Amino acid sequence: MDFELTEEQRQIRTTVADFAEREIKPNAGRWNREAIFPREIVEKIGQLGFLGVAFPEQYGGGGADTLSQVIVVEGLARYDAGIALSCAAHMSLCAGHIVMFASEQQRVSLLPDLLAGRKLGAWCLTEPDSGSDAAAMRTRAIRDGDSFTIDGSKMFITNGSVADVYVVMAVTEPAAGRSGISAFLVERGTKGLSNGPKIEKLGLHSSDTAEVIFDHLKVPATNLIGEAGAGYRQTLQVLEGGRIGIAGWAIGMARGAMEDAADYARQRHQFGRPIADFQAIQWMLADMATRIEASWMLTCRAAALKDRGLRYGRAAAMAKLYASETAMWATTKAVQIHGGYGYVTEFPVERYMRDAKLSEIGEGTSEVQRMIIAKSLLRDGYLTE
Ligand SMILES: Cc1cc2nc3c(=O)[nH]c(=O)nc-3n(C[C@H](O)[C@H](O)[C@H](O)COP(=O)(O)OP(=O)(O)OC[C@H]3O[C@@H](n4cnc5c(N)ncnc54)[C@H](O)[C@@H]3O)c2cc1C
């Protein structure tokens, strides 16, 4: 096992960091205060090749590995977790679902625009009454000759009111349970597609989150992704890959909190000394660095297993669980190190703390990750993946 980044990965990290410091860092505070989703920034991220970094070259991607995509999301989340979340949902969920399961014709018609940032993607699984138990969804798609009519609504959808392409899970055969769920492509502008009222959030104000409503929305049967009834199986695989990206996203926030806290501790004086001299502060920083490093190792392992075609579900769940709990813990400690200045909006650490909470909820809560890990452990034993 190699613990070093490759030359290519190193270069991606540097390019993303340069971009994020130049284009995101100076504006993140304002975007989040004013709840602006900066679409033009996501387009630029696409133009630079970051959105497609790990996708096949024949669709306009960069052909790099899974860890390269993690590096992109981590680097963006360092300064603005909202933008990074919008990019992660676009790449890992929407475009990820399409590249894994859509027909060649669907891939060729959608992926080049999605990967270049000309179109924005959303992925619609959660509903107002179903989240962790996604199979309990109620959105129905009824076949009528050569088309399907979709009715229902999806809740908390990232890019939900700004996307051009939606991957939508719906029940096509209620009696078949999980095997009666199918995935569809829906494009913005289709009659019957609308959004619910604006959702006010705790954090991630630069990311769009919306309810997506389908009212007698008709799509041609050719918009089905893969076979009818395969949607739930597809969803589980898309989420497994997505969790590796979310682990990187959480690490980006945790690193931001640690770096900001270390800078602050060097310049803030109390009792005639920089607070960085106090062991209580040093231990918080040391624990942050150690937990971030452990999160990174777990994430690298999950990404490596995925790229080698091995089972990686448990490894991805562990990476996501540990990285997200690290992000919540590290951002809370960063506020502590900033004292009163951590509690006010002059410094970004309070935003990091609010943003980090979502990492313990989205793409499977921490409880769901523990269920996945325990189930795999009890079924297969420890030494498997
Ligand atoms: C900002 C944001 C962005 C999002 N983006 C998307 C998106 O792009 N696409 C999408 O489809 N969804 C998205 N979501 C939805 C997100 O994935 C869900 O919120 C999440 O899966 C949890 O579902 P829920 O909110 O219904 O909570 P619930 O499932 O109702 O869970 C409530 C609580 O019960 C616990 N719980 C549930 N079942 C069990 C169990 N069996 N054992 C133990 N505890 C359990 C949970 O862990 C949690 O603590 C987003 C959510 C937010 C807030």
Side-chain angles (χ1 to χ4, degrees), residues 123 125-126 131-132 156-158 209 358 361 363 365 367 371:
W123 192 76
L125 178 69
T126 308
S132 301
F156 304 136
I157 303 306
T158 301
T209 313
L358 197 262
I361 296 171
E363 295 198 28
T365 62
E367 290 74 22
M371 276 162 52

Side-chain angles (χ1 to χ4, degrees), residues 219-231:
V219 287
T222 47
N223 281 28
L224 195 59
I225 302 179
E227 293 164 23

Side-chain angles (χ1 to χ4, degrees), residues 327-351:
M328 195 64 238
W329 180 86
T331 54
T332 307
K333 290 297 178 199
V335 168
Q336 191 67 22
I337 290 174
H338 280 69
Y341 288 101
Y343 200 71
V344 297
T345 56
E346 184 184 340
F347 288 86
V349 282
E350 58 83 30
R351 165 163 60 89

Side-chain angles (χ1 to χ4, degrees), residues 117-132:
R118 290 186 291 271
K119 283 188 176 171
L120 197 61
W123 192 76
C124 306
L125 178 69
T126 308
E127 299 192 355
D129 295 313
S130 67
S132 301

Side-chain angles (χ1 to χ4, degrees), residues 44-73:
K44 271 194 193 172
I45 292 169
Q47 283 159 13
L48 288 166
F50 296 149
L51 294 177
V53 68
F55 286 77
E57 287 165 0
Q58 76 245 45
Y59 308 117
D65 60 1
T66 300
L67 196 62
S68 299
Q69 185 164 305
V70 174
I71 290 168
V72 168
V73 175

Side-chain angles (χ1 to χ4, degrees), residues 232-300:
Y232 191 74
R233 261 179 287 133
Q234 294 173 0
T235 291
L236 294 183
Q237 286 185 49
V238 170
L239 282 173
E240 269 186 9
R243 283 179 189 134
I244 301 177
I246 291 298
W249 180 68
I251 293 168
M253 287 186 276
R255 180 166 66 86
M258 176 183 68
E259 289 175 351
D260 282 15
D263 286 347
Y264 185 81
R266 281 191 214 99
Q267 55 89 16
R268 177 72 171 172
H269 283 68
Q270 291 296 340
F271 302 97
R273 295 158 68 189
I275 60 167
D277 277 6
F278 302 132
Q279 207 173 42
I281 301 290
Q282 291 176 3
W283 285 10
M284 281 193 261
L285 291 170
D287 285 349
M288 281 184 200
T290 306
R291 289 194 193 194
I292 291 169
E293 189 76 14
S295 304
W296 181 248
M297 292 296 165
L298 286 170
T299 308
C300 288

